Amino acid sequence: MASATRDAPDGEGVEFIHEDDGSITAKDIETGVASFGDTKAEALRMLAEAIELHEGGGRPVTDEDLEEWGLDPDPVPDEPKELPDFMK
């Protein structure tokens, strides 16, 4: 069973949740945004990035980013050409 600890009782701060698999989830109490890592420090770093993105930070993904990650930058059509049998 996961357990949680809060660093601040006033509605601000971070709640750490120690997961059964050994990872640690860090949840911002004010926004509800959460992320995880193998340590508290890693979970906090990931949480900081998640909050930045949640608040509109970061930059849009480009076609070059997708290609670098091995993904096809061409848009997916709205509807498949033919539905699979189980969807007919």
Side-chain angles (χ1 to χ4, degrees):
M1 176 189 302
S3 65
T5 58
R6 288 181 183 238
D7 281 354
D10 59 0
E12 293 182 354
V14 175
E15 177 180 21
F16 291 99
I17 304 163
H18 299 265
E19 305 291 351
D20 294 336
D21 66 0
S23 66
I24 298 173
T25 298
K27 178 180 176 185
D28 179 64
I29 296 168
E30 184 178 351
T31 64
V33 174
S35 195
F36 69 95
D38 292 331
T39 65
K40 279 187 175 182
E42 182 181 11
L44 282 173
R45 280 193 304 275
M46 299 301 288
L47 177 60
E49 182 179 335
I51 290 171
E52 179 183 353
L53 294 171
H54 175 74
E55 293 177 349
R59 64 176 178 80
V61 174
T62 65
D63 285 351
E64 290 78 22
D65 291 329
L66 294 174
E67 288 173 0
E68 180 182 331
W69 301 330
L71 301 171
D72 185 0
D74 293 328
V76 177
D78 291 336
E79 294 184 23
K81 293 180 182 178
E82 184 176 325
L83 292 174
D85 289 338
F86 73 92
M87 294 181 75
K88 292 179 182 178

